[in-house]
Amino acid sequence: MSEPSVFSRIIAREIPALIVRETDRLIAFKDIAPKAPVHFLIVPKTEQYANITELAAGDPGLLAEIVAVAQELADEYSNGQYRLLFNTGPEAGQTVFHVHAHLLGGGLTESTIGF
Ligand code: AMP
């Protein structure tokens, strides 16, 4: 069996993170290298899905839960407005192959996220 992902190790509290939300099936925490004033990762507790395509096919309800949590966190930290990003594949910048959404907000500008 492969090693647990860095996110599974955060879920297991083996490595620290600034956790902002936890439900039965999801966790959300601050990205260690934030690209915007608000930059959280929203991560299913299962690592069975490597990316959003697999998640949408395998458990669309869980994908909808990510969106619902994104809105809740944006309401709390980013006046309700946000950008939700799923890097899919190494050439698109994905480095952790345990599906996760980047929630970006808090005053986005071209210089914080490129466009
Ligand atoms: P991606 O490049 O889309 O796979 O996103 C992976 C994200 O995980 C990057 O934005 C990293 O900064 C973030 N990251 C990696 N390790 C940690 C960690 N220990 N705690 C919080 N965020 C992390």
Side-chain angles (χ1 to χ4, degrees), residues 41-60:
L41 300 175
I42 307 173
V43 185
K45 289 185 174 175
T46 176
E47 63 175 289
Q48 122 182 58
Y49 306 109
N51 58 52
I52 187 178
T53 306
E54 291 184 11
L55 177 62
D59 193 342

Side-chain angles (χ1 to χ4, degrees), residues 6-7 10 15-17 29-33 35 39 41 87 93-96 100 102:
V6 63
F7 299 153
I10 288 172
I15 55 178
F29 50 89
K30 187 172 177 191
D31 196 292
I32 203 168
K35 303 287 194 297
H39 186 172
L41 300 175
N87 294 328
Q94 187 174 8
T95 58
V96 180
H100 54 282
H102 294 258

